[in-house]
């Protein structure tokens, strides 16, 4: 700084200035020097330091340094360097202008504080990218921690900026926060409740990013795309985005399909109502027809067997031999409690292909076949007819 002032004074002497013009010229030259040095510092950081850091991180085998020293972090850091140079040179420029010096010094300090917090937030966001490699519930803990950390950094920055503006010690402002804690609780009520609910979701392993969940109350039925402190974003199968609060998921019930997706099959449980009037012993003629059509072999059935019993036996055999049905899991065709619509028979089995479209098609193919063969057993599916006016 002394050398800068020395060379500035030399330039003024070489120009032959005297009197009041010396003070004005000295001030202008010092301002220009400060602007030039700050600009040069910023350019050097972007053109020299940044490429050097990139080359070093690119040559290492680890990946964490590429994330923690990425372009966004270096760009945020480059915004601080010129302000630091100006901060250092301010006392030299405004030696005779105390009021202007104080105002600019505070303004520069506020800028450095804001940019430093911005750098910290970018760094925290980079930490979240490191957490993407975690496939367990620890990832959600990590993201929640990063969210809380950003809130704390912003809160501290606000206190620091206010302290700089009013020229008070930040410790005194922190000490006075006890009286305003109730107001802060109201301001961050949603964030705090969301954090607690998010911790409950992740600690109990109730939901992860990528899970298929169904929340009837919120109209959500799709894949979890993002989990933050205050929101859970679900992309429905029609590509609409539904935003649900973690508190809603904790307070109300929701269905997570991860158990089905990780299992060996997706369940099918469907009821078909059969007319009571068509349930009767098979008789010789029906038995012969069933053998002729290949449903049973001769000797497997007797005329005194009820046709519904034969149908249930064949349906279970058909399901067990179907290539899309997981035969190692439960396969059952059984009666439920009689109802006014007829006798309900439930078909309970699991399909191996759990992908939504294939699951729907395979299930429909099976039941369409069951509907088609029902008359062969002398049965009739109950269907309510609505009379029409002549």
């Amino acid at each position: 700084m002394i050398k800068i002032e020395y060379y500035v004074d030399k330039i003024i002497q070489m120009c032959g200035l005297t009197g009041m013009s010396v003070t004005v010229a000295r001030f202008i030259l010092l301002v220009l020097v400060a602007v030039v040095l700050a600009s040069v510092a910023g350019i050097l950081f972007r053109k020299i330091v940044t490429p050097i850091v990139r080359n070093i991180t690119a040559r290492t085998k680890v990946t964490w340094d590429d994330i923690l020293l990425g372009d966004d972090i270096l760009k945020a850091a480059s915004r601080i360097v010129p302000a630091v140079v100006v901060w250092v040179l301010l006392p030299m420029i405004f030696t005779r202008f105390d009021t202007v010096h104080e105002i600019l010094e505070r303004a520069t300090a506020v800028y450095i504080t804001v940019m430093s917090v911005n750098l910290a937030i970018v760094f925290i966001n980079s930490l979240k990218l490191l957490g993407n490699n975690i496939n367990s519930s620890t990832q959600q803990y990590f993201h929640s921690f990063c969210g809380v950390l950003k809130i704390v950094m912003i809160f501290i920055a606000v206190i620091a900026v206010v302290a700089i503006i009013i020229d008070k010690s930040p410790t005194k402002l922190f000490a006075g926060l006890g009286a305003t804690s109730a107001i802060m609780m109201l301001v961050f009520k949603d964030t705090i409740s969301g954090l607690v609910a998010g911790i409950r979701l992740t600690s109990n392993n109730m939901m992860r990013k990528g899970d298929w969940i169904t929340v009837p109350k919120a109209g959500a039925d799709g894949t979890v795309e993002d989990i933050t402190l205050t929101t859970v974003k679900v992309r429905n199968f029609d590509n609409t985005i539904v935003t649900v609060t973690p508190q809603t998921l904790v307070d109300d019930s929701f269905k997570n399909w991860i158990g089905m997706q990780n299992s060996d099959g997706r369940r099918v449980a469907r009821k078909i109502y059969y007319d009571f009037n068509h349930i009767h012993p098979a008789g010789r003629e029906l038995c012969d027809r069933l053998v002729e059509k290949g449903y049973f072999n001769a000797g497997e059935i007797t005329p005194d067997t009820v046709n519904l019993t034969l149908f249930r036996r064949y349906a279970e055999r058909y399901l067990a031999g179907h290539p899309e049905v997981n035969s190692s899991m439960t396969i059952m065709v059984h009666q439920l409690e009689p109802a006014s619509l007829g006798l309900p028979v439930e078909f309970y089995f699991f399909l191996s292909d759990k992908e939504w479209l294939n699951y729907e098609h395979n299930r429909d193919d099976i039941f369409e076949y069951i509907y088609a063969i029902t008359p062969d057993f002398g049965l009739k599916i109950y269907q309510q007819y609505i009379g029409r006016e002549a």
Side-chain angles (χ1 to χ4, degrees):
M1 291 178 59
I2 297 176
K3 289 185 177 181
I4 293 175
E5 291 179 316
Y6 172 77
Y7 287 117
V8 168
D9 291 336
K10 280 290 187 181
I11 294 173
I12 294 175
Q13 291 176 5
M14 290 173 59
C15 294
L17 298 177
T18 57
M20 189 62 184
S21 58
V22 173
T23 303
V24 176
R26 189 174 187 275
F27 174 75
I28 294 175
L29 287 175
L30 288 175
V31 170
L32 290 176
V33 168
V35 171
V36 170
L37 290 177
S39 301
V40 170
I43 293 173
L44 290 177
F45 188 92
R46 290 192 298 269
K47 301 297 183 181
I48 297 178
V49 177
T50 299
I52 291 175
V53 174
R54 286 175 182 169
N55 291 333
I56 294 174
T57 56
R59 292 178 181 178
T60 58
K61 295 181 180 180
V62 295
T63 58
W64 61 264
D65 57 349
D66 297 324
I67 297 176
L68 298 183
L69 295 175
D71 291 341
D72 292 337
I73 293 179
L74 294 175
K75 187 182 296 183
S78 67
R79 299 190 183 102
I80 303 176
V81 175
V84 173
V85 174
V86 172
W87 168 272
V88 173
L89 296 178
L90 278 177
M92 178 186 67
I93 301 174
F94 297 97
T95 53
R96 300 182 182 181
F97 307 94
D98 294 337
T99 303
V100 177
H101 172 244
E102 184 176 357
I103 293 174
L104 291 179
E105 188 177 41
R106 292 186 186 182
T108 306
V110 169
Y111 177 82
I112 293 175
T113 302
V114 172
M115 290 297 102
S116 299
V117 172
N118 178 65
L119 174 61
I121 291 175
V122 173
F123 182 79
I124 293 171
N125 290 334
S126 299
L127 290 177
K128 291 175 65 177
L129 295 177
L130 290 177
N132 289 336
N133 296 326
I134 306 173
N135 295 322
S136 65
S137 59
T138 307
Q139 178 184 2
Q140 301 306 330
Y141 278 122
F142 192 70
H143 283 200
S144 299
F145 172 76
C146 290
V148 174
L149 193 58
K150 285 196 289 186
I151 293 175
V152 172
M153 293 299 300
I154 294 173
F155 179 72
I156 294 175
V158 171
I159 297 298
V161 168
V162 172
I164 292 171
I165 293 175
I166 65 176
D167 196 20
K168 296 290 183 180
S169 173
T171 56
K172 294 182 179 180
L173 294 180
F174 279 111
L177 287 178
T180 60
S181 59
I183 299 176
M184 299 302 296
M185 289 291 290
L186 290 175
V187 172
F188 295 104
K189 179 173 71 69
D190 293 338
T191 302
I192 295 173
S193 62
L195 173 62
V196 175
I199 292 175
R200 290 177 61 185
L201 286 174
T202 53
S203 61
N204 295 317
N205 203 19
M206 299 166 63
M207 181 182 62
R208 300 178 186 176
K209 185 177 179 180
D211 286 359
W212 169 18
I213 67 170
T214 302
V215 190
K217 183 177 180 180
D221 184 13
T223 305
V224 177
E225 287 207 332
D226 190 25
I227 303 176
T228 64
L229 291 178
T230 55
T231 59
V232 175
K233 291 184 180 180
V234 181
R235 179 179 291 276
N236 288 338
F237 294 113
D238 59 357
N239 285 327
T240 57
I241 302 294
V242 177
T243 302
V244 186
T245 61
Q247 194 67 39
T248 300
L249 297 177
V250 171
D251 293 341
D252 300 324
S253 60
F254 70 96
K255 183 182 292 185
N256 192 330
W257 296 85
I258 189 65
M260 179 275 296
Q261 293 175 324
N262 293 336
S263 67
D264 294 330
R266 183 173 176 182
R267 190 188 70 169
V268 177
R270 175 174 292 186
K271 294 182 293 184
I272 299 178
Y273 290 89
Y274 289 92
D275 194 333
F276 284 106
N277 297 321
H278 288 73
I279 301 175
H280 53 74
R284 175 57 58 186
E285 182 180 352
L286 178 58
C287 288
D288 293 341
R289 187 167 67 247
L290 294 176
V291 171
E292 181 183 349
K293 291 192 174 183
Y295 294 122
F296 295 98
N297 295 324
E300 284 186 314
I301 56 177
T302 58
D304 58 344
T305 307
V306 177
N307 60 345
L308 182 59
T309 303
L310 296 176
F311 177 75
R312 289 190 297 104
R313 291 178 185 174
Y314 174 76
E316 286 188 354
R317 182 188 300 177
Y318 166 74
L319 292 173
H322 197 285
E324 297 297 336
V325 176
N326 190 334
S327 59
S328 63
M329 303 181 75
T330 303
I331 297 175
M332 180 171 55
V333 180
H334 65 112
Q335 295 182 26
L336 299 178
E337 186 176 353
S340 59
L341 297 177
L343 180 63
V345 176
E346 184 179 52
F347 297 80
Y348 190 97
F349 56 96
F350 292 82
L351 291 175
S352 300
D353 195 338
K354 296 168 288 186
E355 196 275 326
W356 185 27
L357 185 61
N358 295 335
Y359 167 83
E360 295 286 344
H361 287 168
N362 293 333
R363 183 196 61 188
D364 292 346
D365 290 343
I366 290 172
F367 279 102
E368 285 163 3
Y369 175 77
I370 290 173
Y371 298 148
I373 67 171
T374 294
D376 292 343
F377 288 81
L379 296 169
K380 181 179 179 182
I381 298 175
Y382 180 85
Q383 181 173 335
Q384 185 177 6
Y385 293 94
I386 301 176
R388 293 182 297 175
E389 294 184 0

